[in-house]
Amino acid sequence: MSRRICSFAVVAIVAMTAPALAYAQSADLVLCDRVAADPSDPDKPADVKGVPDIAASDIATAIKYCKNAANGSRRAMYQLGRAYAANRQMPEAIAAWRKASDKGSTSAMVELGVLYGTGAGIARDEAQARKLFERAAEAGNPRGVSNLAALGGGAGATADPARARELLSKAAETNAEAQYQLGMMLAEGNGGSRDDAAARALFEKAAAQNHPAALERMGAFSQEGRGGPKDSDAAKAYYQRAAALGDEDAKKALERMRCPYAIKDKRGNVVTNLCF
């Protein structure tokens, strides 16, 4: 009888603690996302803002909580790699990205591809970089597509901007980064004809999702009247939103709008600017 009571007590304790354990794991991932999520990561939940760069003050927190969550989440494993890289622990970052890549993280594939392509912290291997970019691109990762398009030569292959457009078009149906990347290709006439109106429409879609670079491009297109109406007030509003998200080009554009007139000396050097 006492054994049965004891067994029942153990089961009851486990049942009571299981939700708490699950909650703790979930809390680790929430904190990991808060300080280390990548805004361009396709695995990132829509309600997570993400950070372009992990703040120095958040690195220790990111490593702690992402490590706790990494076994159950490929996103957390990828973000752990970001945290290690921010802390200049490249061997640990590479190891984390390999694990995340093996689990299917396309963002980790891209990071490893960049390292192989540049030889940063790992032996340079352009063929391996291409394979990783191709895997990420085929899965719809916009950075995988753009890096694959930019990677010319090597392994008997050449850059194929037209193919990049095709891959980005699929991803751009739902992904802000893909919308921005495709918009840039259309705006520059890379991989096909130039189409400012289509580029602007894509930038507008990405800007609606608070993509910093797309907001900056919407500011520029509105200021110049590219692909649509010219509107200085709208341009300023777009620049302000992008600047608030940390976009340096938008900050410079706002300063140029504030101080548009340059005073030059007889040699043509800018001495000062007149500001409103």
Tab-separated table of all heavy atoms in Angstrom, residues 75-128:
chain	number	residue	atom	x	y	z
A	75	ARG	N	16.076	27.605	-34.571
A	75	ARG	CA	16.187	29.061	-34.578
A	75	ARG	C	17.075	29.532	-33.437
A	75	ARG	O	17.932	30.408	-33.612
A	75	ARG	CB	14.800	29.689	-34.464
A	75	ARG	CG	14.811	31.210	-34.473
A	75	ARG	CD	13.405	31.773	-34.545
A	75	ARG	NE	12.716	31.823	-33.272
A	75	ARG	CZ	11.731	31.028	-32.907
A	75	ARG	NH1	11.319	30.080	-33.726
A	75	ARG	NH2	11.142	31.155	-31.738
A	76	ALA	N	16.883	28.958	-32.267
A	76	ALA	CA	17.707	29.327	-31.117
A	76	ALA	C	19.163	28.923	-31.333
A	76	ALA	O	20.082	29.640	-30.928
A	76	ALA	CB	17.167	28.670	-29.849
A	77	MET	N	19.377	27.788	-31.997
A	77	MET	CA	20.752	27.355	-32.282
A	77	MET	C	21.427	28.344	-33.229
A	77	MET	O	22.602	28.704	-33.056
A	77	MET	CB	20.746	25.953	-32.883
A	77	MET	CG	22.145	25.378	-33.131
A	77	MET	SD	23.088	25.086	-31.607
A	77	MET	CE	22.276	23.567	-31.034
A	78	TYR	N	20.693	28.795	-34.247
A	78	TYR	CA	21.229	29.804	-35.164
A	78	TYR	C	21.536	31.098	-34.414
A	78	TYR	O	22.583	31.727	-34.609
A	78	TYR	CB	20.226	30.065	-36.286
A	78	TYR	CG	20.491	31.340	-37.048
A	78	TYR	CD1	21.668	31.525	-37.765
A	78	TYR	CD2	19.556	32.383	-37.043
A	78	TYR	CE1	21.918	32.703	-38.461
A	78	TYR	CE2	19.798	33.561	-37.734
A	78	TYR	CZ	20.981	33.710	-38.432
A	78	TYR	OH	21.231	34.885	-39.116
A	79	GLN	N	20.619	31.501	-33.546
A	79	GLN	CA	20.803	32.734	-32.783
A	79	GLN	C	21.938	32.607	-31.777
A	79	GLN	O	22.624	33.602	-31.488
A	79	GLN	CB	19.481	33.115	-32.105
A	79	GLN	CG	18.441	33.561	-33.122
A	79	GLN	CD	17.012	33.630	-32.619
A	79	GLN	OE1	16.099	33.874	-33.388
A	79	GLN	NE2	16.797	33.419	-31.331
A	80	LEU	N	22.163	31.418	-31.278
A	80	LEU	CA	23.317	31.189	-30.409
A	80	LEU	C	24.594	31.446	-31.196
A	80	LEU	O	25.547	32.052	-30.679
A	80	LEU	CB	23.297	29.758	-29.871
A	80	LEU	CG	24.492	29.330	-29.019
A	80	LEU	CD1	24.614	30.210	-27.767
A	80	LEU	CD2	24.361	27.851	-28.611
A	81	GLY	N	24.625	31.002	-32.447
A	81	GLY	CA	25.773	31.279	-33.294
A	81	GLY	C	25.979	32.767	-33.481
A	81	GLY	O	27.108	33.266	-33.455
A	82	ARG	N	24.884	33.511	-33.665
A	82	ARG	CA	24.985	34.970	-33.789
A	82	ARG	C	25.588	35.580	-32.522
A	82	ARG	O	26.396	36.514	-32.589
A	82	ARG	CB	23.606	35.596	-34.018
A	82	ARG	CG	22.920	35.265	-35.312
A	82	ARG	CD	21.675	36.133	-35.482
A	82	ARG	NE	22.014	37.451	-35.984
A	82	ARG	CZ	21.380	38.570	-35.665
A	82	ARG	NH1	20.372	38.536	-34.806
A	82	ARG	NH2	21.727	39.723	-36.189
A	83	ALA	N	25.150	35.077	-31.379
A	83	ALA	CA	25.643	35.611	-30.111
A	83	ALA	C	27.136	35.325	-29.943
A	83	ALA	O	27.907	36.197	-29.521
A	83	ALA	CB	24.850	35.012	-28.949
A	84	TYR	N	27.544	34.104	-30.284
A	84	TYR	CA	28.972	33.773	-30.204
A	84	TYR	C	29.780	34.651	-31.166
A	84	TYR	O	30.864	35.127	-30.828
A	84	TYR	CB	29.188	32.305	-30.542
A	84	TYR	CG	28.922	31.338	-29.416
A	84	TYR	CD1	28.192	30.158	-29.630
A	84	TYR	CD2	29.410	31.582	-28.138
A	84	TYR	CE1	27.956	29.259	-28.594
A	84	TYR	CE2	29.171	30.687	-27.098
A	84	TYR	CZ	28.451	29.536	-27.339
A	84	TYR	OH	28.227	28.648	-26.315
A	85	ALA	N	29.259	34.856	-32.377
A	85	ALA	CA	29.968	35.683	-33.349
A	85	ALA	C	30.095	37.118	-32.852
A	85	ALA	O	31.141	37.761	-33.024
A	85	ALA	CB	29.243	35.654	-34.690
A	86	ALA	N	29.034	37.627	-32.230
A	86	ALA	CA	29.082	38.976	-31.673
A	86	ALA	C	30.111	39.087	-30.556
A	86	ALA	O	30.679	40.153	-30.317
A	86	ALA	CB	27.703	39.375	-31.147
A	87	ASN	N	30.365	37.953	-29.896
A	87	ASN	CA	31.349	37.909	-28.812
A	87	ASN	C	32.739	37.504	-29.306
A	87	ASN	O	33.631	37.224	-28.514
A	87	ASN	CB	30.890	36.936	-27.721
A	87	ASN	CG	31.457	37.264	-26.363
A	87	ASN	OD1	31.591	38.434	-26.008
A	87	ASN	ND2	31.778	36.234	-25.579
A	88	ARG	N	32.877	37.423	-30.640
A	88	ARG	CA	34.133	37.060	-31.290
A	88	ARG	C	34.616	35.655	-30.909
A	88	ARG	O	35.812	35.390	-30.861
A	88	ARG	CB	35.221	38.096	-30.983
A	88	ARG	CG	34.869	39.489	-31.496
A	88	ARG	CD	35.977	40.488	-31.242
A	88	ARG	NE	35.604	41.810	-31.744
A	88	ARG	CZ	36.387	42.894	-31.640
A	88	ARG	NH1	37.574	42.797	-31.062
A	88	ARG	NH2	35.974	44.049	-32.112
A	89	GLN	N	33.663	34.770	-30.668
A	89	GLN	CA	33.967	33.359	-30.403
A	89	GLN	C	33.611	32.576	-31.675
A	89	GLN	O	32.634	31.840	-31.708
A	89	GLN	CB	33.163	32.847	-29.210
A	89	GLN	CG	33.511	33.491	-27.885
A	89	GLN	CD	32.621	32.988	-26.755
A	89	GLN	OE1	31.745	33.701	-26.265
A	89	GLN	NE2	32.822	31.733	-26.342
A	90	MET	N	34.415	32.743	-32.704
A	90	MET	CA	34.062	32.184	-34.007
A	90	MET	C	34.030	30.656	-34.048
A	90	MET	O	33.155	30.090	-34.698
A	90	MET	CB	34.989	32.738	-35.083
A	90	MET	CG	34.747	34.201	-35.396
A	90	MET	SD	32.988	34.592	-35.674
A	90	MET	CE	32.615	33.586	-37.110
A	91	PRO	N	34.947	29.938	-33.399
A	91	PRO	CA	34.822	28.474	-33.421
A	91	PRO	C	33.483	28.003	-32.862
A	91	PRO	O	32.846	27.092	-33.413
A	91	PRO	CB	35.996	28.003	-32.554
A	91	PRO	CG	37.009	29.104	-32.684
A	91	PRO	CD	36.195	30.360	-32.721
A	92	GLU	N	33.032	28.657	-31.773
A	92	GLU	CA	31.743	28.289	-31.176
A	92	GLU	C	30.591	28.690	-32.095
A	92	GLU	O	29.598	27.963	-32.215
A	92	GLU	CB	31.585	28.966	-29.806
A	92	GLU	CG	32.482	28.436	-28.719
A	92	GLU	CD	33.880	29.053	-28.736
A	92	GLU	OE1	34.188	29.848	-29.679
A	92	GLU	OE2	34.670	28.756	-27.829
A	93	ALA	N	30.724	29.850	-32.742
A	93	ALA	CA	29.681	30.304	-33.668
A	93	ALA	C	29.544	29.332	-34.837
A	93	ALA	O	28.436	28.949	-35.221
A	93	ALA	CB	30.009	31.711	-34.179
A	94	ILE	N	30.673	28.922	-35.396
A	94	ILE	CA	30.665	27.994	-36.525
A	94	ILE	C	30.035	26.664	-36.133
A	94	ILE	O	29.228	26.092	-36.877
A	94	ILE	CB	32.091	27.784	-37.064
A	94	ILE	CG1	32.590	29.085	-37.718
A	94	ILE	CG2	32.144	26.631	-38.060
A	94	ILE	CD1	34.061	29.080	-38.043
A	95	ALA	N	30.388	26.173	-34.943
A	95	ALA	CA	29.820	24.908	-34.468
A	95	ALA	C	28.308	25.005	-34.322
A	95	ALA	O	27.563	24.089	-34.708
A	95	ALA	CB	30.461	24.521	-33.135
A	96	ALA	N	27.834	26.128	-33.783
A	96	ALA	CA	26.393	26.312	-33.608
A	96	ALA	C	25.691	26.410	-34.962
A	96	ALA	O	24.619	25.824	-35.171
A	96	ALA	CB	26.125	27.565	-32.783
A	97	TRP	N	26.286	27.124	-35.894
A	97	TRP	CA	25.673	27.259	-37.224
A	97	TRP	C	25.662	25.939	-37.978
A	97	TRP	O	24.739	25.656	-38.741
A	97	TRP	CB	26.389	28.338	-38.026
A	97	TRP	CG	26.026	29.731	-37.563
A	97	TRP	CD1	24.851	30.107	-36.955
A	97	TRP	CD2	26.822	30.910	-37.664
A	97	TRP	NE1	24.880	31.454	-36.665
A	97	TRP	CE2	26.069	31.975	-37.097
A	97	TRP	CE3	28.096	31.176	-38.175
A	97	TRP	CZ2	26.552	33.278	-37.034
A	97	TRP	CZ3	28.581	32.483	-38.111
A	97	TRP	CH2	27.815	33.512	-37.545
A	98	ARG	N	26.687	25.116	-37.778
A	98	ARG	CA	26.681	23.789	-38.413
A	98	ARG	C	25.508	22.962	-37.893
A	98	ARG	O	24.804	22.301	-38.659
A	98	ARG	CB	27.998	23.063	-38.139
A	98	ARG	CG	29.198	23.595	-38.903
A	98	ARG	CD	30.367	22.631	-38.776
A	98	ARG	NE	31.605	23.194	-39.267
A	98	ARG	CZ	31.944	23.313	-40.548
A	98	ARG	NH1	31.074	22.912	-41.475
A	98	ARG	NH2	33.103	23.830	-40.908
A	99	LYS	N	25.302	22.981	-36.591
A	99	LYS	CA	24.205	22.220	-35.992
A	99	LYS	C	22.859	22.751	-36.487
A	99	LYS	O	21.953	21.981	-36.827
A	99	LYS	CB	24.275	22.290	-34.470
A	99	LYS	CG	25.451	21.536	-33.871
A	99	LYS	CD	25.479	21.686	-32.355
A	99	LYS	CE	26.683	20.963	-31.748
A	99	LYS	NZ	26.745	21.153	-30.277
A	100	ALA	N	22.730	24.082	-36.531
A	100	ALA	CA	21.473	24.677	-36.987
A	100	ALA	C	21.232	24.364	-38.464
A	100	ALA	O	20.103	24.078	-38.875
A	100	ALA	CB	21.501	26.181	-36.759
A	101	SER	N	22.302	24.394	-39.255
A	101	SER	CA	22.192	24.071	-40.679
A	101	SER	C	21.754	22.629	-40.872
A	101	SER	O	20.905	22.336	-41.729
A	101	SER	CB	23.538	24.316	-41.362
A	101	SER	OG	23.486	23.953	-42.722
A	102	ASP	N	22.316	21.726	-40.081
A	102	ASP	CA	21.937	20.313	-40.170
A	102	ASP	C	20.459	20.106	-39.838
A	102	ASP	O	19.829	19.164	-40.334
A	102	ASP	CB	22.791	19.472	-39.216
A	102	ASP	CG	24.241	19.355	-39.684
A	102	ASP	OD1	24.502	19.626	-40.875
A	102	ASP	OD2	25.106	19.004	-38.854
A	103	LYS	N	19.919	21.005	-39.018
A	103	LYS	CA	18.508	20.914	-38.653
A	103	LYS	C	17.602	21.644	-39.640
A	103	LYS	O	16.386	21.666	-39.482
A	103	LYS	CB	18.296	21.498	-37.247
A	103	LYS	CG	18.943	20.688	-36.141
A	103	LYS	CD	18.686	21.325	-34.777
A	103	LYS	CE	19.302	20.502	-33.657
A	103	LYS	NZ	19.055	21.102	-32.315
A	104	GLY	N	18.225	22.283	-40.658
A	104	GLY	CA	17.440	22.919	-41.697
A	104	GLY	C	17.350	24.426	-41.637
A	104	GLY	O	16.563	25.028	-42.380
A	105	SER	N	18.137	25.082	-40.770
A	105	SER	CA	18.110	26.537	-40.706
A	105	SER	C	18.788	27.128	-41.938
A	105	SER	O	20.000	27.011	-42.118
A	105	SER	CB	18.825	27.034	-39.437
A	105	SER	OG	19.028	28.432	-39.497
A	106	THR	N	18.012	27.794	-42.786
A	106	THR	CA	18.591	28.376	-43.994
A	106	THR	C	19.464	29.587	-43.667
A	106	THR	O	20.421	29.879	-44.391
A	106	THR	CB	17.489	28.795	-44.981
A	106	THR	OG1	16.598	29.726	-44.345
A	106	THR	CG2	16.707	27.583	-45.446
A	107	SER	N	19.152	30.292	-42.589
A	107	SER	CA	19.980	31.436	-42.187
A	107	SER	C	21.359	30.965	-41.747
A	107	SER	O	22.368	31.629	-42.021
A	107	SER	CB	19.300	32.218	-41.059
A	107	SER	OG	18.131	32.860	-41.528
A	108	ALA	N	21.419	29.824	-41.069
A	108	ALA	CA	22.708	29.267	-40.681
A	108	ALA	C	23.494	28.836	-41.912
A	108	ALA	O	24.718	29.000	-41.968
A	108	ALA	CB	22.501	28.080	-39.738
A	109	MET	N	22.793	28.298	-42.910
A	109	MET	CA	23.467	27.928	-44.165
A	109	MET	C	24.112	29.157	-44.799
A	109	MET	O	25.249	29.096	-45.287
A	109	MET	CB	22.453	27.322	-45.143
A	109	MET	CG	21.860	25.998	-44.713
A	109	MET	SD	20.521	25.497	-45.855
A	109	MET	CE	19.668	24.274	-44.856
A	110	VAL	N	23.389	30.266	-44.793
A	110	VAL	CA	23.918	31.493	-45.387
A	110	VAL	C	25.151	31.977	-44.625
A	110	VAL	O	26.158	32.356	-45.241
A	110	VAL	CB	22.840	32.598	-45.416
A	110	VAL	CG1	23.445	33.930	-45.847
A	110	VAL	CG2	21.708	32.214	-46.363
A	111	GLU	N	25.083	31.972	-43.303
A	111	GLU	CA	26.228	32.429	-42.509
A	111	GLU	C	27.455	31.558	-42.771
A	111	GLU	O	28.568	32.070	-42.927
A	111	GLU	CB	25.881	32.423	-41.016
A	111	GLU	CG	24.828	33.420	-40.610
A	111	GLU	CD	25.227	34.863	-40.881
A	111	GLU	OE1	26.445	35.150	-40.969
A	111	GLU	OE2	24.325	35.701	-41.014
A	112	LEU	N	27.256	30.259	-42.822
A	112	LEU	CA	28.378	29.365	-43.125
A	112	LEU	C	28.889	29.611	-44.543
A	112	LEU	O	30.105	29.597	-44.788
A	112	LEU	CB	27.935	27.908	-42.972
A	112	LEU	CG	27.739	27.396	-41.546
A	112	LEU	CD1	27.133	25.993	-41.576
A	112	LEU	CD2	29.057	27.371	-40.774
A	113	GLY	N	27.960	29.848	-45.466
A	113	GLY	CA	28.358	30.131	-46.841
A	113	GLY	C	29.211	31.378	-46.939
A	113	GLY	O	30.203	31.413	-47.682
A	114	VAL	N	28.853	32.405	-46.187
A	114	VAL	CA	29.633	33.644	-46.172
A	114	VAL	C	31.042	33.374	-45.650
A	114	VAL	O	32.034	33.871	-46.207
A	114	VAL	CB	28.938	34.715	-45.316
A	114	VAL	CG1	29.862	35.914	-45.093
A	114	VAL	CG2	27.642	35.173	-45.983
A	115	LEU	N	31.137	32.569	-44.600
A	115	LEU	CA	32.454	32.254	-44.032
A	115	LEU	C	33.304	31.463	-45.024
A	115	LEU	O	34.498	31.740	-45.197
A	115	LEU	CB	32.294	31.474	-42.727
A	115	LEU	CG	31.614	32.213	-41.579
A	115	LEU	CD1	31.557	31.324	-40.337
A	115	LEU	CD2	32.338	33.512	-41.243
A	116	TYR	N	32.685	30.485	-45.685
A	116	TYR	CA	33.425	29.716	-46.689
A	116	TYR	C	33.817	30.597	-47.876
A	116	TYR	O	34.901	30.451	-48.444
A	116	TYR	CB	32.580	28.539	-47.188
A	116	TYR	CG	32.655	27.304	-46.330
A	116	TYR	CD1	31.536	26.821	-45.657
A	116	TYR	CD2	33.858	26.605	-46.195
A	116	TYR	CE1	31.602	25.670	-44.875
A	116	TYR	CE2	33.941	25.459	-45.417
A	116	TYR	CZ	32.810	25.001	-44.760
A	116	TYR	OH	32.893	23.867	-43.977
A	117	GLY	N	32.935	31.499	-48.244
A	117	GLY	CA	33.208	32.346	-49.393
A	117	GLY	C	34.297	33.371	-49.149
A	117	GLY	O	35.013	33.762	-50.071
A	118	THR	N	34.426	33.809	-47.897
A	118	THR	CA	35.415	34.836	-47.557
A	118	THR	C	36.660	34.271	-46.889
A	118	THR	O	37.673	34.958	-46.795
A	118	THR	CB	34.789	35.882	-46.622
A	118	THR	OG1	34.326	35.237	-45.420
A	118	THR	CG2	33.616	36.581	-47.300
A	119	GLY	N	36.551	33.022	-46.391
A	119	GLY	CA	37.689	32.450	-45.666
A	119	GLY	C	37.866	33.061	-44.302
A	119	GLY	O	38.966	33.067	-43.740
A	120	ALA	N	36.788	33.582	-43.730
A	120	ALA	CA	36.849	34.199	-42.398
A	120	ALA	C	36.599	33.147	-41.327
A	120	ALA	O	35.481	32.658	-41.180
A	120	ALA	CB	35.809	35.314	-42.292
A	121	GLY	N	37.650	32.792	-40.602
A	121	GLY	CA	37.521	31.827	-39.517
A	121	GLY	C	37.424	30.387	-39.964
A	121	GLY	O	37.207	29.494	-39.146
A	122	ILE	N	37.559	30.163	-41.275
A	122	ILE	CA	37.427	28.813	-41.820
A	122	ILE	C	38.152	28.792	-43.167
A	122	ILE	O	38.306	29.833	-43.813
A	122	ILE	CB	35.921	28.463	-41.990
A	122	ILE	CG1	35.700	26.975	-42.173
A	122	ILE	CG2	35.306	29.245	-43.124
A	122	ILE	CD1	34.230	26.593	-42.096
A	123	ALA	N	38.623	27.633	-43.586
A	123	ALA	CA	39.333	27.554	-44.866
A	123	ALA	C	38.406	27.959	-46.006
A	123	ALA	O	37.269	27.482	-46.102
A	123	ALA	CB	39.852	26.137	-45.087
A	124	ARG	N	38.891	28.829	-46.872
A	124	ARG	CA	38.054	29.308	-47.970
A	124	ARG	C	37.734	28.165	-48.935
A	124	ARG	O	38.608	27.407	-49.329
A	124	ARG	CB	38.765	30.434	-48.729
A	124	ARG	CG	37.897	31.059	-49.807
A	124	ARG	CD	38.532	32.296	-50.393
A	124	ARG	NE	37.673	32.905	-51.402
A	124	ARG	CZ	37.947	34.017	-52.044
A	124	ARG	NH1	39.080	34.658	-51.799
A	124	ARG	NH2	37.107	34.492	-52.941
A	125	ASP	N	36.448	28.067	-49.280
A	125	ASP	CA	35.988	27.001	-50.160
A	125	ASP	C	34.764	27.518	-50.908
A	125	ASP	O	33.634	27.422	-50.430
A	125	ASP	CB	35.642	25.758	-49.332
A	125	ASP	CG	35.315	24.548	-50.192
A	125	ASP	OD1	34.923	24.742	-51.366
A	125	ASP	OD2	35.437	23.414	-49.686
A	126	GLU	N	34.986	28.080	-52.091
A	126	GLU	CA	33.894	28.699	-52.836
A	126	GLU	C	32.855	27.680	-53.279
A	126	GLU	O	31.664	27.981	-53.334
A	126	GLU	CB	34.453	29.447	-54.046
A	126	GLU	CG	33.426	30.342	-54.711
A	126	GLU	CD	34.040	31.249	-55.758
A	126	GLU	OE1	34.941	32.034	-55.412
A	126	GLU	OE2	33.605	31.161	-56.923
A	127	ALA	N	33.289	26.469	-53.584
A	127	ALA	CA	32.341	25.430	-53.993
A	127	ALA	C	31.382	25.102	-52.854
A	127	ALA	O	30.177	24.934	-53.066
A	127	ALA	CB	33.098	24.174	-54.435
A	128	GLN	N	31.922	25.021	-51.627
A	128	GLN	CA	31.083	24.737	-50.469
A	128	GLN	C	30.157	25.912	-50.180
A	128	GLN	O	28.985	25.722	-49.823
A	128	GLN	CB	31.954	24.445	-49.245
A	128	GLN	CG	31.188	24.039	-48.000
A	128	GLN	CD	30.399	22.756	-48.172
A	128	GLN	OE1	30.704	21.914	-49.015
A	128	GLN	NE2	29.353	22.585	-47.380
